[in-house]
Amino acid sequence: MSIKNKSIAAVLAFCAIGFQSVSAAMVDFTDNGNNVNLGSSFTEVNSDGVTIKVSAFSFAGTSNTPTASNTQNSIIEAFGNFGIGIGGGGNPQHTADNDGRNEIFLIEFSQNVIVNWASITEWGNNSGSTSGGDSDVDYWGGAGSFNFNNIGSRFNNNVNVITLGNGQQRTVNFSNGLGGVNWLLFGPDSNSGGPRDYIKLRKIDYDVAPVPLPAAVWLMGSALLGLAGFKRKIPGITS
């Protein structure tokens, strides 16, 4: 291999160092058992090495946004293939809902990710006092240290009230500004003025965001390419 080609190969090698390609992964909350009280938070380490911490909160009233002053810890409960809900009393049927208080999950990732979609279970369409409910959701996402006083823009994903029945699943696609985040707030529609919303959270699909090249790598690459050009001017050295 010529000196020039060796230099270019070295640059490519340096470009590979410290650079992580986008890789797909999914965290599954349907394997936490039936009627299991998981406390106010729990942590899972995914197969890709990303640590995911899930916390539960509730906040007062409807037509509100969670803030540090109106939010309190709640309890996460698991119910097998239906996913995790928020509530108390050891009731596995309890969903995350906006029936009286708004309930919301905080999902924190140990590194930046691109959040693609979530799988949820609807649980309020045709049963007793919750009849007529559906599974509209709100979500927020951001990077850096999470703070309830700085959650940014609210997005929502709604369905028609008659779309689903109890126990049916649907996918929530995160198409609004959720690339390169390390936390996600996710729960029933907090600004609901109509039917109440009842959901369980089953899965979240995400891509690990690429890690930018350090500046030193680019400088080294530029230097190697410069040397590759400079050596051609030295008498007695050929490619």
Side-chain angles (χ1 to χ4, degrees):
M1 182 182 292
S2 68
I3 294 176
K4 180 179 179 181
N5 289 340
K6 288 180 180 178
S7 299
I8 294 173
V11 172
L12 295 175
F14 267 94
C15 288
I17 297 173
F19 186 83
Q20 182 176 340
S21 301
V22 172
S23 59
M26 182 171 61
V27 56
D28 188 342
F29 302 121
T30 65
D31 56 1
N32 293 108
N34 292 336
N35 196 13
V36 176
N37 183 326
L38 298 172
S40 60
S41 67
F42 68 94
T43 300
E44 293 193 6
V45 180
N46 218 6
S47 58
D48 59 355
V50 176
T51 300
I52 300 100
K53 180 181 179 181
V54 185
S55 306
F57 299 91
S58 65
F59 58 100
T62 57
S63 301
N64 276 310
T65 294
T67 66
S69 61
N70 74 357
T71 305
Q72 63 187 38
N73 292 332
S74 193
I75 299 297
I76 301 173
E77 292 178 349
F79 190 34
N81 193 53
F82 294 111
I84 52 176
I86 300 176
N91 178 7
Q93 302 290 340
H94 204 284
T95 59
D97 62 55
N98 55 11
D99 193 351
R101 293 183 65 86
N102 293 291
E103 294 170 326
I104 197 163
F105 296 102
L106 169 63
I107 301 100
E108 298 174 278
F109 302 88
S110 60
Q111 64 186 82
N112 281 6
V113 300
I114 301 166
V115 186
N116 298 317
W117 52 263
S119 172
I120 64 174
T121 305
E122 201 283 333
W123 208 273
N125 183 274
N126 52 12
S127 61
S129 62
T130 64
S131 180
D134 62 359
S135 57
D136 300 340
V137 299
D138 285 349
Y139 57 94
W140 298 257
S145 179
F146 175 78
N147 187 324
F148 268 115
N149 286 331
N150 186 28
I151 61 175
S153 300
R154 164 185 171 266
F155 303 103
N156 62 354
N157 179 284
N158 296 342
V159 294
N160 189 285
V161 70
I162 63 173
T163 301
L164 301 175
N166 277 356
Q168 288 187 292
Q169 300 160 11
R170 78 177 184 92
T171 298
V172 177
N173 290 304
F174 299 111
S175 56
N176 304 96
L178 291 186
V181 302
N182 63 0
W183 59 261
L184 168 71
L185 269 180
F186 181 83
D189 185 359
S190 63
N191 286 13
S192 177
R196 294 291 181 256
D197 302 292
Y198 307 87
I199 69 167
K200 294 181 188 292
L201 177 59
R202 301 183 68 250
K203 302 177 181 181
I204 294 178
D205 182 270
Y206 64 90
D207 296 325
V208 176
V211 178
L213 282 169
V217 174
W218 291 114
L219 290 173
M220 179 62 74
S222 299
L224 289 172
L225 285 175
L227 288 173
F230 177 73
K231 63 89 193 174
R232 295 177 64 88
K233 299 180 181 180
I234 300 176
I237 298 180
T238 59
S239 300

